[in-house]
Amino acid sequence: MKNAAQSVQVSTEKHRPRVVILGAGFAGLTVAMRLACQPVEIVIIDRHNYHLFQPLLYQVATAALSPADIAAPIRGILGHFDNIQVLLDTVTNIDRDRCQIQTLSDRRIDYDYLVIATGATHNYFGRDEWHELAPGLKRIEDATELRRRILLAFERAEIEENPARRQALMTFVIVGGGPTGVEMAGAMAELTRFTLARNFRRIQPENARIILADANERLLRPFPEALSEKARRSLERMGVEMKLGTRVDHLDRHGVRMEQDKIATETVIWSAGVKASPAADWLGVDSNAAGQVAVEADLQLPGDDRIYLVGDVCQHINPDQQPTPGLAPAAKQQGKHVARDLIARIRGRRRPGAFVYKGRGQLATIGRHSAICNFGQVRVTGYAGWWLWGAAHIYFLIGFRNRVVVAANWFWSYLTFGRGIRLITGDVAVKPDASSAGNPGRSTLDQSR
Amino acid sequence: MKNAAQSVQVSTEKHRPRVVILGAGFAGLTVAMRLACQPVEIVIIDRHNYHLFQPLLYQVATAALSPADIAAPIRGILGHFDNIQVLLDTVTNIDRDRCQIQTLSDRRIDYDYLVIATGATHNYFGRDEWHELAPGLKRIEDATELRRRILLAFERAEIEENPARRQALMTFVIVGGGPTGVEMAGAMAELTRFTLARNFRRIQPENARIILADANERLLRPFPEALSEKARRSLERMGVEMKLGTRVDHLDRHGVRMEQDKIATETVIWSAGVKASPAADWLGVDSNAAGQVAVEADLQLPGDDRIYLVGDVCQHINPDQQPTPGLAPAAKQQGKHVARDLIARIRGRRRPGAFVYKGRGQLATIGRHSAICNFGQVRVTGYAGWWLWGAAHIYFLIGFRNRVVVAANWFWSYLTFGRGIRLITGDVAVKPDASSAGNPGRSTLDQSR
């Protein structure tokens, strides 16, 4: 233990304060980039070796982009700053008395200041066993697994003799009508209506049922009602069925039950709510229903001015009593604020004080030529909104390469309606009988990942 | 069974002869494309839903390309031809009396003509248990697993306290000095010398040991001696150690033993020889040491003029008594020949007769600015050879998108020395102690895939 902790110090200078950042998402990465070249020593720890542009994960799941298009290696972004140390590791606990974090690799790392930006994962509202049956869209592995299940469902439908099972294979249920669910539904509609159409002989992918379910009566709650309505109508125009105001109360490998009606399906996509990573447990403090830790106006942990929480892991209330939303721009703004506050403290300057979220607008795309953008007074929808959405997302992608490749991929798909990333990797199961597990042809749904 | 076989016929016309093609590699895909729009009904069966450009798999393993860059969905290539049916399935047996093939999904598919192009896999020369310890480069999953192990080795070295284990983590052994082994060694040298350099604080990736081992005394046996020599020298100039003329006789998760010397390493890459897929067993005929089925001069199975074998699965001897090499161009030439022969038979025209392989030259690249190209009289090496190699490989990639994206990726890497695909996906293990299995931090080497 001890010499491990020292070992981290070996490579660093003693007199500069050390800022340890947990998580290299939008919030954590922003803090690190803002503190680079400042008189601090930074240790950034992430359980992955890449920063992931989560808002586009659904495009990986629907074969429009490759994982590497929306992920940039953290060392590639921060590696050349001499005051930044990147560690691939997983936090297991925080020792606030000793000012140390503990990691899965049995190491203790001292901090002078700690920034917790460990984000959130899916929220199955206590039914964690559903994760196997209905993956969400938080990690690259989730997206490639969904891509595998979606593409495989059509391959299996093509050889399925039983019409009922063929219909079930060609039915896709998306649970959760937030931005992710809406964008996923639109992308699925495109994939089936355009890309896969005519590629099969015995099935018509364009007849696939795509169902978007939400316990709430309307989609995209953060958006104004009118835009939610627009989104619903354009999705319906693309052939997406709505099941609004009904809660999913049962899931198994053969289907979904929502109050009254039961839908036979083998592919369920989960996008209903997020649960913060267990920072509250590490810190020994309370959390809200979503597992978030409440922070002060300046994003500090109440009663511990060495610790900040930023991004989805924290609950921050703005002066107007509105909570800061769980969006990438909000996480970045919080990251900038914390970096500014830390620099002020270290240089003994006046501190910026309370963080106030500046809503720069909300964007959501609904497949080809349709998106909704809300900038308060200004609302852009349809064709123009779609181009705006694309431009914004390419602009915010980190890394020159990713921007170029994503732009190229999108342009190609735009011209050809094709999607080049239609790879089924991992276990390939085409046995018509899904219940026969244990051999290479076993069901995609009963395999453990 | 029965109605399954019928079910395939439902979607097809009776009077046209049916050609069943097993495998959508270079050989099988060429046959299908040549027979498209001919008066035949084609069923092409592959266990993957994509055609893979295997010669560039090593670039996926070394984070230069994404899997989708070198793989194209079979339905995307063939889906729009009405006389072609694409099935994702795995062949389990061939019933020559009934002229049926049997698949993993318990279906029987009738054929009038059968083209077997199921290719080859790695050859561990009877030590199949080595596959876990030393993956080869035949499938996308192999390449991403190698990428994971290589990148993870550096991450683990960065936090490793024990100098001996740190050295072992930074040692990479490539077994097999054929084109794949040589190209892999060159790519590894580049990755460590250029891309990863300066990205770590406690280790110097540029000091990683890259060892290329072959039982033979010289590299690239198919090439002329002078070029093999050139290849060896340029690899050595890049810092690759040679262990030639020594056979690997033991492998475990801690290292490799080659006759006298034992090398401590946790990453071994296998590129020593290939073994044909079990077509001989399906057909009930003999095979050679590499598992290949000997074919007639016209690529037919001796004694059964309904069955052809093409590509790595067959052993074909040319009039000059030389066997056709296991290269992509050879497989394509054989595919063209079989298609021509089938068209002639179906249209009752004169048949082309014996297949003769036309060697158009051999190419192998050895990292940045160095490749060797052999066209008999003409030999191009070094800088010019490298550009020639790149142009050839982009030209032969299937699919407009892949060409553009690969060119873009290469150009970007060329300008920046960077590699954007440095993603560690799947199990991330950074526990310094590799022997502690069973938790998320378990060793990368003792996990079963």
Side-chain angles (χ1 to χ4, degrees):
Chain A
M1 301 300 101
K2 197 85 186 60
N3 67 350
Q6 285 161 353
S7 72
V8 174
Q9 304 201 327
V10 169
S11 61
T12 60
E13 298 155 43
K14 271 274 181 290
H15 60 279
R16 298 163 137 200
R18 175 189 285 169
V19 179
V20 173
I21 302 167
L22 308 182
F26 289 108
L29 195 61
T30 306
V31 175
M33 287 165 91
R34 289 295 171 124
L35 291 181
C37 313
Q38 293 289 335
V40 293
E41 172 214 319
I42 300 157
V43 178
I44 183 165
I45 303 173
D46 196 285
R47 57 143 70 102
H48 295 299
N49 77 321
Y50 49 82
H51 165 77
L52 180 62
F53 195 86
Q54 275 181 349
L56 288 178
L57 261 183
Y58 78 94
Q59 296 222 351
V60 172
T62 51
L65 293 175
S66 272
D69 299 341
I70 60 164
I74 299 165
R75 292 191 189 280
I77 304 167
L78 302 174
H80 54 285
F81 295 111
D82 294 329
N83 68 326
I84 299 183
Q85 222 183 121
V86 180
L87 294 180
L88 179 70
D89 209 338
T90 304
V91 181
T92 53
N93 203 2
I94 297 170
D95 182 337
R96 288 166 67 185
D97 306 329
R98 291 224 196 88
C99 290
Q100 285 182 333
I101 67 135
Q102 294 160 31
T103 72
L104 194 64
S105 65
D106 290 334
R107 285 155 61 252
R108 289 165 164 269
I109 298 163
D110 304 325
Y111 65 83
D112 298 305
Y113 301 102
L114 178 64
V115 181
I116 303 175
T118 43
T121 178
H122 324 105
N123 195 345
Y124 290 92
F125 306 106
R127 310 292 298 268
D128 292 350
E129 68 276 15
W130 286 0
H131 177 266
E132 259 319 298
L133 299 163
L137 279 166
K138 279 287 174 188
R139 303 170 310 134
I140 281 181
E141 289 80 3
D142 298 329
T144 49
E145 169 65 11
L146 279 174
R147 182 181 73 188
R148 194 179 67 76
R149 293 187 187 192
I150 292 164
L151 295 174
L152 209 44
F154 288 102
E155 296 292 342
R156 289 164 62 205
E158 174 84 345
I159 61 170
E160 177 58 58
E161 305 305 330
N162 173 334
R165 281 207 66 247
R166 196 181 307 129
Q167 185 53 58
L169 284 164
M170 289 177 65
T171 302
F172 303 87
V173 176
I174 298 154
V175 182
T180 305
V182 165
E183 298 192 312
M184 187 71 193
M188 283 294 298
E190 257 196 36
L191 179 70
T192 53
R193 275 42 169 177
F194 301 115
T195 311
L196 298 182
R198 296 213 55 238
N199 272 193
F200 293 80
R201 291 280 161 276
R202 303 172 63 210
I203 60 168
Q204 286 71 41
E206 51 273 43
N207 299 340
R209 278 183 81 190
I210 299 158
I211 298 164
L212 181 58
D214 197 299
N216 213 282
E217 276 302 342
R218 76 175 174 99
L219 302 173
L220 300 171
R221 252 151 299 128
F223 286 79
E225 186 122 23
L227 289 182
S228 301
E229 194 47 31
K230 257 198 191 328
R232 190 180 59 67
R233 267 187 274 105
S234 34
L235 280 176
E236 282 172 341
R237 230 178 290 116
M238 296 171 76
V240 176
E241 296 174 45
M242 297 292 157
K243 297 265 183 209
L244 300 178
T246 55
R247 189 176 304 283
V248 170
D249 42 31
H250 180 74
L251 250 187
D252 62 32
R253 77 174 52 129
H254 301 300
V256 178
R257 199 180 63 230
M258 288 180 287
E259 281 145 37
Q260 277 29 300
D261 52 2
K262 173 128 180 54
I263 300 163
T265 175
E266 300 206 349
T267 315
V268 181
I269 297 132
W270 194 264
S271 61
V274 293
K275 190 175 75 206
S277 49
D281 304 346
W282 303 332
L283 296 166
V285 299
D286 295 337
S287 64
N288 66 13
Q292 297 170 315
V293 175
V295 290
E296 309 271 13
D298 60 1
L299 301 171
Q300 283 186 354
L301 178 66
D304 189 335
D305 70 353
R306 289 163 167 271
I307 300 182
Y308 298 83
L309 291 99
V310 285
D312 289 346
V313 74
C314 78
Q315 180 189 31
H316 170 266
I317 305 298
N318 288 280
D320 61 4
Q321 299 313 310
Q322 291 302 310
T324 301
L327 302 170
K332 287 183 183 174
Q333 287 178 30
Q334 292 186 333
K336 282 184 200 141
H337 186 86
V338 165
R340 223 180 289 117
D341 193 45
L342 279 169
I343 293 167
R345 289 173 75 172
I346 289 154
R347 296 186 179 277
R349 301 209 189 113
R350 216 176 122 274
R351 297 172 59 177
F355 167 77
V356 181
Y357 168 64
K358 289 172 214 59
R360 298 252 165 71
Q362 306 149 290
L363 308 176
T365 180
I366 311 143
R368 203 176 181 77
H369 291 177
S370 175
I372 57 177
C373 312
N374 174 39
F375 306 99
Q377 312 305 34
V378 186
R379 294 175 182 184
V380 187
T381 60
Y383 198 84
W386 183 70
W387 283 101
L388 186 61
W389 174 89
H393 279 69
I394 285 177
Y395 174 77
F396 286 118
L397 268 178
I398 285 197
F400 166 77
R401 176 192 162 283
N402 305 56
R403 286 179 188 160
V404 171
V405 176
V406 168
N409 271 322
W410 283 351
F411 189 62
W412 181 83
S413 314
Y414 180 72
L415 294 179
T416 62
F417 286 88
R419 297 189 178 206
I421 328 282
R422 283 154 50 192
L423 308 187
I424 301 175
T425 51
D427 178 33
V428 174
V430 288
K431 238 172 151 48
D433 171 24
S435 55
S436 64
N439 64 44
R442 73 188 191 280
S443 155
T444 52
L445 296 171
D446 56 12
Q447 68 162 11
S448 66
R449 301 174 54 230
Chain B
M1 301 302 103
K2 193 90 187 56
N3 69 351
Q6 284 160 353
S7 72
V8 174
Q9 304 201 326
V10 169
S11 62
T12 61
E13 298 157 42
K14 271 272 180 293
H15 61 279
R16 296 162 138 200
R18 176 189 286 169
V19 179
V20 173
I21 302 167
L22 308 183
F26 290 109
L29 195 61
T30 306
V31 176
M33 288 166 92
R34 289 295 169 125
L35 291 181
C37 314
Q38 293 290 335
V40 292
E41 171 213 322
I42 300 157
V43 179
I44 183 164
I45 302 172
D46 197 284
R47 57 143 72 104
H48 295 298
N49 77 321
Y50 49 82
H51 165 77
L52 180 62
F53 195 86
Q54 275 182 347
L56 288 178
L57 260 183
Y58 79 94
Q59 295 221 350
V60 173
T62 52
L65 293 175
S66 272
D69 300 341
I70 60 164
I74 300 165
R75 292 190 189 280
I77 304 167
L78 301 174
H80 53 286
F81 295 111
D82 295 329
N83 67 326
I84 300 182
Q85 220 182 123
V86 179
L87 294 181
L88 179 71
D89 210 337
T90 304
V91 180
T92 54
N93 203 4
I94 297 171
D95 182 337
R96 289 167 64 185
D97 307 329
R98 292 225 194 88
C99 290
Q100 286 181 333
I101 67 136
Q102 294 160 28
T103 73
L104 193 64
S105 65
D106 290 334
R107 287 156 58 250
R108 290 165 163 270
I109 298 164
D110 304 324
Y111 64 81
D112 298 304
Y113 301 101
L114 178 63
V115 181
I116 303 175
T118 43
T121 177
H122 326 106
N123 195 347
Y124 290 92
F125 306 106
R127 310 292 299 269
D128 292 350
E129 68 276 15
W130 286 0
H131 178 267
E132 259 317 297
L133 300 164
L137 279 166
K138 280 286 176 189
R139 302 170 309 132
I140 281 180
E141 289 80 2
D142 298 330
T144 48
E145 168 64 11
L146 279 173
R147 181 180 73 187
R148 195 179 66 79
R149 293 188 187 192
I150 292 164
L151 296 174
L152 210 42
F154 288 102
E155 296 293 342
R156 289 164 63 206
E158 175 83 346
I159 61 169
E160 177 58 58
E161 304 306 327
N162 172 334
R165 281 208 66 246
R166 195 181 308 130
Q167 186 53 59
L169 284 164
M170 289 178 64
T171 302
F172 303 86
V173 176
I174 299 155
V175 182
T180 306
V182 166
E183 298 192 312
M184 186 70 193
M188 282 294 297
E190 255 196 39
L191 179 70
T192 53
R193 275 43 169 177
F194 299 115
T195 312
L196 298 183
R198 294 215 53 236
N199 271 194
F200 293 80
R201 291 283 161 272
R202 304 173 62 210
I203 59 168
Q204 285 72 40
E206 52 273 43
N207 298 340
R209 277 183 81 191
I210 299 158
I211 299 164
L212 181 58
D214 197 298
N216 213 282
E217 276 302 342
R218 77 173 172 101
L219 301 173
L220 300 171
R221 253 151 299 127
F223 286 80
E225 185 121 24
L227 289 182
S228 300
E229 194 47 28
K230 258 197 191 326
R232 190 181 59 67
R233 267 186 275 105
S234 33
L235 280 176
E236 282 172 342
R237 232 177 290 117
M238 297 171 75
V240 176
E241 297 174 45
M242 297 291 158
K243 298 265 182 208
L244 299 178
T246 56
R247 188 177 303 283
V248 171
D249 42 31
H250 180 75
L251 251 187
D252 62 32
R253 79 174 50 128
H254 300 301
V256 177
R257 201 179 61 233
M258 289 180 286
E259 280 145 36
Q260 278 28 301
D261 52 3
K262 173 126 183 50
I263 301 164
T265 175
E266 300 205 349
T267 315
V268 182
I269 297 131
W270 194 264
S271 62
V274 294
K275 190 175 75 205
S277 50
D281 305 345
W282 303 331
L283 297 166
V285 300
D286 294 337
S287 64
N288 65 11
Q292 299 169 315
V293 175
V295 290
E296 309 270 15
D298 61 1
L299 301 170
Q300 284 185 353
L301 178 67
D304 189 336
D305 70 353
R306 289 164 166 272
I307 299 182
Y308 298 82
L309 292 99
V310 284
D312 289 347
V313 74
C314 77
Q315 179 187 35
H316 171 265
I317 304 298
N318 287 280
D320 62 1
Q321 300 313 311
Q322 290 301 310
T324 302
L327 302 170
K332 288 183 183 175
Q333 287 179 30
Q334 292 185 334
K336 281 183 199 143
H337 186 88
V338 165
R340 224 181 286 116
D341 193 45
L342 279 168
I343 293 167
R345 288 173 76 172
I346 289 153
R347 296 186 179 278
R349 304 210 188 112
R350 211 172 126 277
R351 297 171 59 177
F355 168 78
V356 182
Y357 168 64
K358 289 172 214 61
R360 297 253 166 71
Q362 307 148 289
L363 308 175
T365 179
I366 311 145
R368 203 177 182 76
H369 291 177
S370 174
I372 56 176
C373 312
N374 173 39
F375 307 98
Q377 313 305 37
V378 187
R379 294 174 182 183
V380 188
T381 61
Y383 197 83
W386 182 71
W387 283 100
L388 186 60
W389 174 89
H393 280 70
I394 285 178
Y395 174 78
F396 285 118
L397 267 178
I398 284 196
F400 166 77
R401 176 191 162 284
N402 305 56
R403 286 181 188 158
V404 171
V405 176
V406 168
N409 270 322
W410 283 353
F411 189 61
W412 181 81
S413 313
Y414 180 71
L415 294 179
T416 63
F417 287 86
R419 295 187 178 206
I421 328 284
R422 282 156 50 193
L423 309 186
I424 300 176
T425 51
D427 178 32
V428 175
V430 287
K431 235 173 156 47
D433 170 23
S435 54
S436 64
N439 63 46
R442 72 188 191 280
S443 156
T444 51
L445 296 170
D446 58 11
Q447 68 162 11
S448 66
R449 298 180 55 234

